[in-house]
Coordinates of all heavy atoms in Angstrom, one line a residue:
M15 N 134.1 -11.6 122.2 CA 133.9 -11.6 120.8 C 132.4 -11.4 120.4 O 132.1 -10.7 119.4 CB 134.4 -12.9 120.1 CG 134.5 -12.8 118.6 SD 135.6 -11.5 118.1 CE 136.4 -12.3 116.8
K16 N 131.5 -11.9 121.2 CA 130.1 -11.8 120.9 C 129.6 -10.4 120.9 O 128.8 -10.0 120.1 CB 129.3 -12.6 122.0 CG 127.8 -12.7 121.7 CD 127.1 -13.6 122.7 CE 125.7 -13.7 122.3 NZ 124.9 -14.6 123.3
T17 N 130.2 -9.6 121.9 CA 129.8 -8.1 121.9 C 130.2 -7.4 120.6 O 129.5 -6.6 120.1 CB 130.6 -7.5 123.1 OG1 130.2 -8.2 124.3 CG2 130.2 -6.0 123.2
Y18 N 131.4 -7.8 120.1 CA 131.8 -7.1 118.9 C 131.0 -7.5 117.7 O 130.7 -6.7 116.8 CB 133.3 -7.5 118.6 CG 134.2 -6.9 119.6 CD1 135.1 -7.8 120.3 CD2 134.2 -5.6 120.0 CE1 135.9 -7.3 121.3 CE2 135.1 -5.1 121.0 CZ 135.9 -6.0 121.6 OH 136.7 -5.5 122.6
R19 N 130.5 -8.8 117.7 CA 129.6 -9.2 116.6 C 128.3 -8.4 116.6 O 127.8 -8.0 115.6 CB 129.3 -10.7 116.7 CG 130.5 -11.5 116.2 CD 130.1 -13.0 116.1 NE 131.3 -13.8 115.8 CZ 131.7 -14.8 116.6 NH1 131.0 -15.2 117.6 NH2 132.8 -15.4 116.3
K20 N 127.8 -8.2 117.8 CA 126.5 -7.5 118.0 C 126.7 -6.0 117.6 O 125.9 -5.5 116.8 CB 126.1 -7.5 119.5 CG 124.9 -6.7 119.8 CD 123.6 -7.2 119.2 CE 122.4 -6.4 119.7 NZ 121.2 -6.7 118.9
A21 N 127.9 -5.4 117.9 CA 128.2 -4.1 117.5 C 128.3 -4.0 116.0 O 127.8 -3.0 115.4 CB 129.4 -3.6 118.2
A22 N 129.0 -4.9 115.4 CA 129.1 -4.9 114.0 C 127.8 -5.1 113.3 O 127.5 -4.4 112.2 CB 130.0 -6.1 113.5
K23 N 126.9 -5.9 113.8 CA 125.5 -6.0 113.2 C 124.8 -4.7 113.3 O 124.1 -4.3 112.4 CB 124.8 -7.1 114.0 CG 123.5 -7.6 113.3 CD 123.0 -8.8 114.0 CE 121.9 -9.4 113.2 NZ 121.4 -10.7 113.8
I24 N 124.9 -4.0 114.4 CA 124.3 -2.7 114.6 C 124.8 -1.7 113.6 O 124.1 -1.0 112.9 CB 124.4 -2.2 116.0 CG1 123.5 -3.0 116.9 CG2 124.0 -0.7 116.1 CD1 123.8 -2.8 118.4
F25 N 126.2 -1.6 113.5 CA 126.8 -0.6 112.6 C 126.5 -1.0 111.1 O 126.3 -0.1 110.3 CB 128.3 -0.5 112.8 CG 128.6 0.3 114.1 CD1 129.2 -0.3 115.1 CD2 128.2 1.6 114.1 CE1 129.5 0.4 116.3 CE2 128.5 2.4 115.3 CZ 129.1 1.8 116.3
K26 N 126.4 -2.2 110.8 CA 126.0 -2.6 109.4 C 124.6 -2.2 109.1 O 124.3 -1.7 108.1 CB 126.1 -4.2 109.3 CG 125.9 -4.6 107.8 CD 126.2 -6.1 107.7 CE 126.0 -6.5 106.2 NZ 126.2 -7.9 106.0
A27 N 123.7 -2.4 110.1 CA 122.3 -1.9 109.9 C 122.2 -0.4 109.7 O 121.4 0.1 109.0 CB 121.5 -2.4 111.1
L28 N 123.1 0.3 110.4 CA 123.2 1.8 110.3 C 123.9 2.3 109.0 O 124.0 3.5 108.8 CB 123.8 2.4 111.5 CG 123.0 2.2 112.8 CD1 123.8 2.6 114.0 CD2 121.7 2.9 112.7
S29 N 124.4 1.4 108.2 CA 125.2 1.8 107.0 C 124.3 2.2 105.8 O 124.8 2.6 104.8 CB 126.1 0.6 106.6 OG 125.3 -0.4 106.1
S30 N 123.0 2.2 106.0 CA 122.1 2.6 104.9 C 121.4 3.9 105.2 O 120.8 4.0 106.3 CB 121.1 1.5 104.7 OG 120.0 1.9 103.9
P31 N 121.4 4.8 104.3 CA 120.6 6.1 104.5 C 119.2 5.8 104.7 O 118.5 6.5 105.5 CB 120.9 6.9 103.3 CG 122.2 6.4 102.7 CD 122.2 4.9 103.1
I32 N 118.6 4.8 104.0 CA 117.2 4.5 104.2 C 116.9 4.1 105.6 O 115.9 4.5 106.2 CB 116.8 3.4 103.1 CG1 116.8 4.0 101.7 CG2 115.4 2.9 103.5 CD1 116.5 3.0 100.6
R33 N 117.8 3.2 106.1 CA 117.5 2.7 107.5 C 117.7 3.8 108.5 O 117.0 3.9 109.5 CB 118.4 1.5 107.8 CG 118.0 0.3 106.9 CD 118.7 -1.0 107.4 NE 120.1 -1.1 107.0 CZ 120.5 -1.6 105.8 NH1 119.7 -2.1 104.9 NH2 121.8 -1.6 105.6
I34 N 118.6 4.7 108.3 CA 118.8 5.9 109.2 C 117.5 6.7 109.1 O 117.0 7.2 110.1 CB 120.1 6.6 108.9 CG1 121.3 5.8 109.3 CG2 120.1 8.0 109.6 CD1 122.6 6.3 108.8
N35 N 117.0 7.0 107.9 CA 115.8 7.7 107.8 C 114.6 7.1 108.5 O 113.8 7.7 109.1 CB 115.4 7.9 106.3 CG 116.2 9.1 105.7 OD1 116.5 10.0 106.3 ND2 116.5 8.9 104.4
I36 N 114.5 5.8 108.4 CA 113.5 5.0 109.2 C 113.6 5.3 110.6 O 112.6 5.6 111.3 CB 113.5 3.5 108.8 CG1 113.1 3.2 107.4 CG2 112.7 2.7 109.9 CD1 113.3 1.8 106.9
L37 N 114.8 5.2 111.2 CA 115.1 5.4 112.6 C 114.7 6.9 113.0 O 114.1 7.1 114.0 CB 116.5 5.1 113.0 CG 116.9 3.6 113.0 CD1 118.4 3.5 113.2 CD2 116.1 2.9 114.0
I38 N 115.0 7.8 112.1 CA 114.7 9.2 112.4 C 113.2 9.4 112.5 O 112.7 10.1 113.4 CB 115.4 10.2 111.4 CG1 116.9 10.2 111.6 CG2 114.8 11.6 111.5 CD1 117.7 10.9 110.6
L39 N 112.5 8.8 111.6 CA 111.0 8.8 111.6 C 110.5 8.2 112.9 O 109.5 8.7 113.5 CB 110.4 8.2 110.4 CG 110.6 8.9 109.0 CD1 110.2 8.0 107.9 CD2 109.8 10.2 109.0
L40 N 111.1 7.1 113.3 CA 110.6 6.4 114.5 C 111.0 7.1 115.7 O 110.4 6.8 116.8 CB 111.1 4.9 114.5 CG 110.5 4.0 113.4 CD1 111.2 2.7 113.4 CD2 109.0 3.9 113.6
M41 N 111.9 8.0 115.7 CA 112.3 8.8 116.8 C 111.1 9.7 117.2 O 110.9 10.1 118.3 CB 113.5 9.6 116.6 CG 114.8 8.8 116.6 SD 116.3 9.6 116.1 CE 116.4 10.9 117.4
E42 N 110.4 10.1 116.2 CA 109.2 11.1 116.4 C 108.0 10.3 116.9 O 107.3 10.9 117.8 CB 108.9 11.7 115.1 CG 110.0 12.6 114.5 CD 109.7 13.0 113.0 OE1 108.6 12.8 112.5 OE2 110.6 13.6 112.4
R43 N 107.7 9.1 116.4 CA 106.6 8.4 116.8 C 106.6 7.0 116.2 O 107.4 6.7 115.3 CB 105.3 9.1 116.4 CG 105.0 9.2 114.9 CD 103.6 9.8 114.7 NE 103.4 9.9 113.3 CZ 102.9 9.0 112.5 NH1 102.6 7.8 112.9 NH2 102.7 9.2 111.2
E44 N 105.7 6.1 116.6 CA 105.5 4.8 116.0 C 105.0 5.0 114.6 O 104.3 6.0 114.4 CB 104.6 4.0 116.8 CG 105.0 3.7 118.2 CD 104.0 2.8 119.0 OE1 102.8 2.7 118.6 OE2 104.4 2.3 120.0
H45 N 105.3 4.1 113.7 CA 104.8 4.1 112.4 C 104.3 2.7 111.9 O 105.0 1.7 112.3 CB 105.8 4.6 111.4 CG 106.0 6.1 111.4 ND1 105.3 7.0 110.7 CD2 107.0 6.8 112.0 CE1 105.7 8.2 110.9 NE2 106.7 8.1 111.7
C46 N 103.3 2.7 111.1 CA 102.8 1.5 110.5 C 103.8 1.2 109.3 O 104.3 2.1 108.7 CB 101.4 1.7 109.9 SG 100.8 0.3 108.9
A47 N 104.0 -0.1 109.1 CA 104.9 -0.5 108.0 C 104.4 0.0 106.7 O 105.2 0.3 105.8 CB 105.0 -2.1 108.0
C48 N 103.1 0.2 106.6 CA 102.5 0.6 105.3 C 102.9 2.1 105.0 O 102.7 2.5 103.9 CB 101.0 0.4 105.4 SG 100.2 1.4 106.7
E49 N 103.3 2.8 106.0 CA 103.6 4.3 105.8 C 105.0 4.5 105.2 O 105.2 5.5 104.5 CB 103.6 5.0 107.1 CG 102.2 5.1 107.8 CD 102.3 5.7 109.1 OE1 102.4 7.0 109.2 OE2 102.3 5.0 110.2
F50 N 106.0 3.6 105.4 CA 107.3 3.9 105.0 C 107.5 4.0 103.5 O 108.3 4.9 103.1 CB 108.3 2.8 105.6 CG 108.4 3.0 107.1 CD1 107.9 2.0 107.9 CD2 109.1 4.1 107.6 CE1 108.0 2.2 109.3 CE2 109.2 4.2 109.0 CZ 108.7 3.3 109.8
P51 N 106.9 3.2 102.7 CA 107.1 3.4 101.2 C 106.8 4.8 100.8 O 107.5 5.4 100.0 CB 106.2 2.4 100.6 CG 106.1 1.3 101.6 CD 106.1 2.0 102.9
H52 N 105.7 5.3 101.3 CA 105.2 6.7 100.9 C 106.2 7.8 101.5 O 106.6 8.7 100.8 CB 103.8 7.0 101.3 CG 103.4 8.4 101.1 ND1 103.1 8.9 99.9 CD2 103.1 9.4 102.0 CE1 102.8 10.2 100.0 NE2 102.8 10.5 101.3
L53 N 106.5 7.6 102.8 CA 107.3 8.6 103.5 C 108.7 8.7 102.9 O 109.3 9.7 102.9 CB 107.4 8.2 105.0 CG 106.1 8.4 105.8 CD1 106.3 7.9 107.2 CD2 105.7 9.9 105.8
L54 N 109.3 7.5 102.5 CA 110.6 7.5 102.0 C 110.8 7.4 100.5 O 111.9 7.3 99.9 CB 111.4 6.3 102.6 CG 111.4 6.4 104.2 CD1 112.0 5.1 104.7 CD2 112.3 7.6 104.6
N55 N 109.6 7.3 99.8 CA 109.6 7.2 98.3 C 110.4 6.0 97.9 O 111.3 6.1 97.0 CB 110.1 8.5 97.7 CG 109.7 8.6 96.2 OD1 108.7 8.0 95.8 ND2 110.5 9.2 95.4
I56 N 110.1 4.8 98.5 CA 110.7 3.6 98.1 C 109.6 2.5 97.9 O 108.5 2.7 98.3 CB 111.7 3.1 99.2 CG1 111.0 2.9 100.6 CG2 112.9 4.0 99.3 CD1 111.9 2.3 101.7
S57 N 110.0 1.4 97.3 CA 109.0 0.3 97.1 C 108.7 -0.4 98.4 O 109.4 -0.3 99.4 CB 109.5 -0.7 96.1 OG 110.6 -1.4 96.7
Q58 N 107.5 -1.1 98.4 CA 107.1 -1.8 99.6 C 108.2 -2.9 100.0 O 108.5 -3.1 101.1 CB 105.7 -2.4 99.5 CG 105.1 -3.0 100.7 CD 105.6 -4.4 100.9 OE1 105.8 -5.2 99.9 NE2 105.8 -4.9 102.1
P59 N 108.6 -3.7 98.9 CA 109.6 -4.7 99.3 C 110.9 -4.1 99.8 O 111.5 -4.7 100.8 CB 109.9 -5.4 97.9 CG 108.6 -5.2 97.1 CD 108.2 -3.8 97.6
N60 N 111.3 -3.0 99.3 CA 112.5 -2.3 99.8 C 112.3 -1.9 101.3 O 113.2 -2.0 102.1 CB 112.9 -1.1 98.9 CG 114.2 -0.5 99.2 OD1 115.0 -1.0 100.1 ND2 114.6 0.5 98.5
S61 N 111.2 -1.3 101.5 CA 110.8 -0.9 102.9 C 110.8 -2.1 103.8 O 111.4 -2.1 104.9 CB 109.4 -0.3 102.9 OG 109.0 0.0 104.2
S62 N 110.2 -3.2 103.5 CA 110.2 -4.4 104.3 C 111.5 -5.0 104.6 O 111.9 -5.4 105.7 CB 109.3 -5.5 103.6 OG 108.0 -5.1 103.6
R63 N 112.4 -5.0 103.5 CA 113.7 -5.5 103.7 C 114.5 -4.7 104.7 O 115.2 -5.2 105.6 CB 114.4 -5.5 102.3 CG 115.8 -6.1 102.3 CD 116.4 -6.3 100.9 NE 116.1 -5.1 100.0 CZ 115.2 -5.1 99.0 NH1 114.4 -6.2 98.8 NH2 115.0 -4.1 98.2
N64 N 114.4 -3.3 104.6 CA 115.1 -2.5 105.5 C 114.6 -2.5 106.9 O 115.4 -2.5 107.9 CB 115.1 -1.0 105.0 CG 116.1 -0.8 103.9 OD1 117.3 -0.9 104.1 ND2 115.6 -0.7 102.7
L65 N 113.3 -2.7 107.1 CA 112.7 -2.8 108.4 C 113.2 -4.1 109.0 O 113.5 -4.2 110.2 CB 111.2 -2.8 108.4 CG 110.6 -1.4 108.1 CD1 109.1 -1.6 107.7 CD2 110.7 -0.5 109.3
S66 N 113.3 -5.2 108.2 CA 113.8 -6.5 108.7 C 115.2 -6.4 109.2 O 115.6 -6.9 110.3 CB 113.6 -7.5 107.6 OG 114.1 -8.7 108.0
V67 N 116.1 -5.7 108.5 CA 117.5 -5.5 108.9 C 117.5 -4.8 110.2 O 118.3 -5.2 111.1 CB 118.3 -4.7 107.8 CG1 119.7 -4.4 108.3 CG2 118.4 -5.6 106.5
L68 N 116.8 -3.7 110.4 CA 116.8 -3.0 111.6 C 116.2 -3.8 112.8 O 116.8 -3.8 113.9 CB 115.9 -1.7 111.5 CG 116.5 -0.6 110.6 CD1 115.5 0.5 110.3 CD2 117.8 0.0 111.2
K69 N 115.2 -4.6 112.5 CA 114.7 -5.5 113.6 C 115.6 -6.6 113.9 O 115.8 -6.9 115.1 CB 113.3 -6.0 113.1 CG 112.6 -6.7 114.2 CD 111.1 -7.1 113.8 CE 110.5 -7.7 115.0 NZ 109.1 -8.1 114.7
N70 N 116.3 -7.2 113.0 CA 117.2 -8.3 113.2 C 118.4 -7.8 114.0 O 119.1 -8.5 114.7 CB 117.6 -9.0 111.9 CG 116.5 -9.8 111.4 OD1 115.7 -10.3 112.1 ND2 116.5 -10.0 110.1
A71 N 118.8 -6.5 113.8 CA 119.9 -5.9 114.5 C 119.5 -5.5 116.0 O 120.3 -5.0 116.7 CB 120.5 -4.7 113.8
G72 N 118.2 -5.6 116.3 CA 117.7 -5.2 117.6 C 117.5 -3.7 117.8 O 117.4 -3.3 118.9
L73 N 117.4 -3.0 116.7 CA 117.3 -1.5 116.8 C 115.8 -1.1 116.9 O 115.5 0.0 117.4 CB 117.9 -0.9 115.6 CG 119.4 -1.1 115.5 CD1 120.0 -0.5 114.2 CD2 120.2 -0.6 116.7
I74 N 114.9 -1.9 116.4 CA 113.5 -1.6 116.4 C 112.7 -2.9 116.8 O 113.2 -4.0 116.7 CB 112.9 -1.0 115.1 CG1 113.1 -2.0 113.9 CG2 113.6 0.3 114.8 CD1 112.5 -1.6 112.6
E75 N 111.5 -2.7 117.2 CA 110.5 -3.8 117.5 C 109.2 -3.5 116.8 O 109.0 -2.4 116.2 CB 110.3 -3.9 119.0 CG 111.5 -4.3 119.8 CD 111.8 -5.8 119.6 OE1 110.9 -6.6 119.3 OE2 113.0 -6.1 119.7
S76 N 108.3 -4.5 116.8 CA 107.1 -4.3 116.1 C 106.0 -5.0 116.9 O 106.3 -5.9 117.7 CB 107.1 -4.8 114.7 OG 107.3 -6.2 114.7
Y77 N 104.7 -4.6 116.7 CA 103.6 -5.3 117.2 C 102.5 -5.2 116.2 O 102.5 -4.3 115.3 CB 103.2 -4.7 118.6 CG 102.7 -3.3 118.6 CD1 101.3 -3.0 118.4 CD2 103.6 -2.3 118.8 CE1 100.9 -1.7 118.4 CE2 103.1 -1.0 118.8 CZ 101.8 -0.7 118.6 OH 101.4 0.6 118.6
R78 N 101.5 -6.1 116.3 CA 100.4 -6.1 115.4 C 99.2 -5.4 116.0 O 98.9 -5.5 117.1 CB 100.0 -7.6 115.1 CG 99.0 -7.7 114.0 CD 98.8 -9.1 113.5 NE 99.9 -9.6 112.8 CZ 100.2 -9.4 111.5 NH1 99.3 -8.6 110.8 NH2 101.2 -9.9 110.9
D79 N 98.6 -4.5 115.2 CA 97.4 -3.8 115.5 C 96.4 -4.1 114.4 O 96.3 -3.4 113.4 CB 97.7 -2.3 115.6 CG 96.5 -1.5 116.1 OD1 95.5 -2.1 116.6 OD2 96.5 -0.3 115.9
G80 N 95.6 -5.1 114.7 CA 94.7 -5.6 113.6 C 95.5 -6.2 112.5 O 96.3 -7.0 112.6
K81 N 95.3 -5.6 111.3 CA 96.1 -6.0 110.1 C 97.4 -5.3 109.9 O 98.2 -5.6 109.1 CB 95.2 -5.9 108.9 CG 94.1 -6.8 108.8 CD 93.4 -6.7 107.5 CE 92.3 -7.8 107.4 NZ 91.6 -7.8 106.1
K82 N 97.6 -4.2 110.7 CA 98.8 -3.4 110.6 C 99.9 -3.9 111.5 O 99.7 -4.4 112.6 CB 98.4 -1.9 111.0 CG 97.4 -1.3 110.1 CD 97.2 0.1 110.5 CE 96.2 0.8 109.6 NZ 95.9 2.2 110.0
I83 N 101.1 -3.7 111.0 CA 102.3 -3.9 111.8 C 102.9 -2.6 112.2 O 103.2 -1.8 111.3 CB 103.3 -4.8 111.1 CG1 102.7 -6.2 110.8 CG2 104.6 -5.0 112.0 CD1 103.6 -7.1 110.0
I84 N 103.0 -2.3 113.5 CA 103.5 -1.0 113.9 C 104.9 -1.2 114.4 O 105.2 -2.1 115.2 CB 102.6 -0.5 115.1 CG1 101.1 -0.5 114.7 CG2 103.1 0.9 115.6 CD1 100.8 0.4 113.6
Y85 N 105.8 -0.3 114.0 CA 107.2 -0.3 114.4 C 107.5 0.8 115.3 O 106.9 1.9 115.2 CB 108.1 -0.2 113.1 CG 108.1 -1.5 112.3 CD1 107.2 -1.8 111.3 CD2 109.1 -2.5 112.6 CE1 107.2 -3.0 110.6 CE2 109.1 -3.7 111.9 CZ 108.2 -3.9 110.9 OH 108.2 -5.1 110.3
Y86 N 108.5 0.6 116.2 CA 108.9 1.6 117.2 C 110.4 1.3 117.6 O 110.8 0.1 117.4 CB 108.0 1.6 118.4 CG 108.0 0.3 119.2 CD1 108.8 0.2 120.3 CD2 107.2 -0.7 118.8 CE1 108.8 -1.0 121.0 CE2 107.2 -1.9 119.5 CZ 108.0 -2.0 120.6 OH 108.0 -3.2 121.4
I87 N 111.0 2.3 118.1 CA 112.4 2.1 118.6 C 112.2 1.6 120.0 O 111.5 2.1 120.9 CB 113.2 3.5 118.6 CG1 113.4 3.9 117.2 CG2 114.5 3.3 119.4 CD1 114.1 5.2 117.0
N88 N 112.9 0.5 120.3 CA 112.7 -0.2 121.6 C 113.8 0.2 122.6 O 113.7 -0.3 123.8 CB 112.8 -1.7 121.3 CG 114.1 -2.2 120.8 OD1 114.9 -1.4 120.2 ND2 114.4 -3.5 120.9
N89 N 114.7 1.0 122.3 CA 115.8 1.4 123.2 C 116.1 2.8 123.1 O 116.5 3.3 122.0 CB 117.0 0.5 122.9 CG 118.1 0.6 123.9 OD1 118.3 1.7 124.5 ND2 118.9 -0.4 124.0
P90 N 116.0 3.6 124.1 CA 116.3 5.0 124.0 C 117.8 5.3 123.6 O 118.1 6.4 123.1 CB 116.0 5.6 125.4 CG 115.8 4.4 126.3 CD 115.6 3.2 125.5
K91 N 118.7 4.4 123.8 CA 120.1 4.5 123.5 C 120.2 4.6 121.9 O 121.2 5.3 121.4 CB 120.9 3.4 124.0 CG 121.0 3.5 125.5 CD 122.0 2.5 126.1 CE 122.0 2.6 127.6 NZ 123.3 3.1 128.1
I92 N 119.3 4.0 121.2 CA 119.3 4.1 119.7 C 119.1 5.6 119.4 O 119.8 6.1 118.5 CB 118.2 3.2 119.1 CG1 118.5 1.8 119.5 CG2 118.2 3.4 117.6 CD1 119.8 1.2 119.3
K93 N 118.2 6.2 120.0 CA 117.9 7.7 119.8 C 119.2 8.5 120.0 O 119.5 9.4 119.3 CB 116.7 8.2 120.6 CG 115.4 7.5 120.2 CD 114.3 8.0 121.1 CE 113.0 7.3 120.7 NZ 111.9 7.7 121.6
E94 N 119.8 8.2 121.1 CA 121.1 8.9 121.5 C 122.1 8.7 120.4 O 122.8 9.6 120.0 CB 121.6 8.4 122.8 CG 120.8 8.8 124.0 CD 121.4 8.2 125.3 OE1 122.6 8.0 125.4 OE2 120.5 7.8 126.1
L95 N 122.2 7.4 119.9 CA 123.2 7.1 118.8 C 122.9 7.9 117.6 O 123.9 8.4 117.0 CB 123.2 5.6 118.6 CG 124.2 5.1 117.5 CD1 125.6 5.3 118.0 CD2 123.9 3.6 117.3
I96 N 121.7 8.0 117.2 CA 121.3 8.8 116.0 C 121.7 10.3 116.2 O 122.2 10.9 115.3 CB 119.8 8.6 115.6 CG1 119.6 7.2 115.2 CG2 119.4 9.6 114.5 CD1 120.3 6.7 114.0
E97 N 121.4 10.8 117.4 CA 121.7 12.2 117.7 C 123.2 12.4 117.6 O 123.7 13.5 117.1 CB 121.1 12.6 119.1 CG 119.6 12.7 119.1 CD 119.1 13.8 118.1 OE1 119.7 14.8 117.8 OE2 118.0 13.5 117.6
I98 N 124.0 11.5 118.1 CA 125.5 11.6 118.1 C 125.9 11.6 116.6 O 126.7 12.4 116.2 CB 126.1 10.5 118.9 CG1 125.9 10.7 120.4 CG2 127.6 10.4 118.5 CD1 126.3 9.5 121.2
A99 N 125.3 10.7 115.8 CA 125.7 10.6 114.4 C 125.4 11.9 113.7 O 126.2 12.3 112.8 CB 125.0 9.4 113.7
K100 N 124.3 12.5 114.0 CA 123.9 13.8 113.4 C 125.0 14.9 113.6 O 125.3 15.7 112.8 CB 122.6 14.3 113.9 CG 121.4 13.6 113.3 CD 120.1 14.2 114.0 CE 118.8 13.7 113.4 NZ 117.7 14.4 114.1
K101 N 125.5 14.9 114.8 CA 126.5 15.9 115.2 C 127.9 15.6 114.6 O 128.7 16.5 114.6 CB 126.6 15.9 116.7 CG 125.4 16.4 117.4 CD 125.5 16.3 118.9 CE 124.2 16.7 119.6 NZ 124.2 16.5 121.0
L102 N 128.1 14.5 114.0 CA 129.4 14.2 113.4 C 129.6 14.9 112.1 O 130.7 15.0 111.6 CB 129.6 12.7 113.2 CG 129.7 11.8 114.5 CD1 129.7 10.4 114.1 CD2 131.0 12.2 115.2
N103 N 128.6 15.4 111.5 CA 128.7 16.1 110.2 C 129.3 17.4 110.3 O 129.2 18.2 111.0 CB 127.3 16.2 109.5 CG 126.8 14.9 109.1 OD1 127.5 14.0 108.8 ND2 125.5 14.8 109.0

């Protein structure tokens, strides 16, 4: 049952177009948290909330670089999942 809960958490995190856009951006390179509001035309609180959902689902990780928080995809299988989802259209 634990495996299904983890899968459900991942799919729930992927249920938002904003979060999918974040993952697509992170597939290209790491990004500072400060970049997402501008890149996605969303507010900073909205950006932070969506980054938190992705991080809590285990889809991304972060590290501190001075005052900046840098986000990246921590698992290449996430990139594969996004590529598969793109092909479903």
Side-chain angles (χ1 to χ4, degrees):
M15 191 63 141
K16 187 176 183 180
T17 303
Y18 297 124
R19 285 190 187 125
K20 176 69 174 168
K23 193 172 191 177
I24 289 169
F25 285 115
K26 185 174 182 180
L28 294 173
S29 69
S30 162
I32 290 172
R33 292 191 285 271
I34 292 171
N35 278 326
I36 289 171
L37 289 173
I38 289 169
L39 289 168
L40 292 175
M41 287 172 62
E42 298 169 7
R43 67 174 178 85
E44 297 179 343
H45 283 276
C46 172
C48 62
E49 294 176 79
F50 291 109
H52 174 72
L53 290 171
L54 300 172
N55 197 28
I56 58 176
S57 68
Q58 187 278 325
N60 191 0
S61 174
S62 293
R63 185 172 41 257
N64 282 290
L65 288 166
S66 178
V67 170
L68 290 170
K69 191 170 181 180
N70 288 334
L73 299 175
I74 62 174
E75 292 290 331
S76 65
Y77 64 90
R78 188 170 287 281
D79 182 17
K81 291 185 177 185
K82 296 180 179 181
I83 299 175
I84 307 299
Y85 285 90
Y86 62 97
I87 293 178
N88 61 340
N89 185 334
K91 291 187 184 244
I92 302 307
K93 293 177 182 180
E94 291 175 35
L95 183 61
I96 295 298
E97 289 300 329
I98 290 168
K100 284 180 173 179
K101 293 176 185 175
L102 292 175
N103 288 336

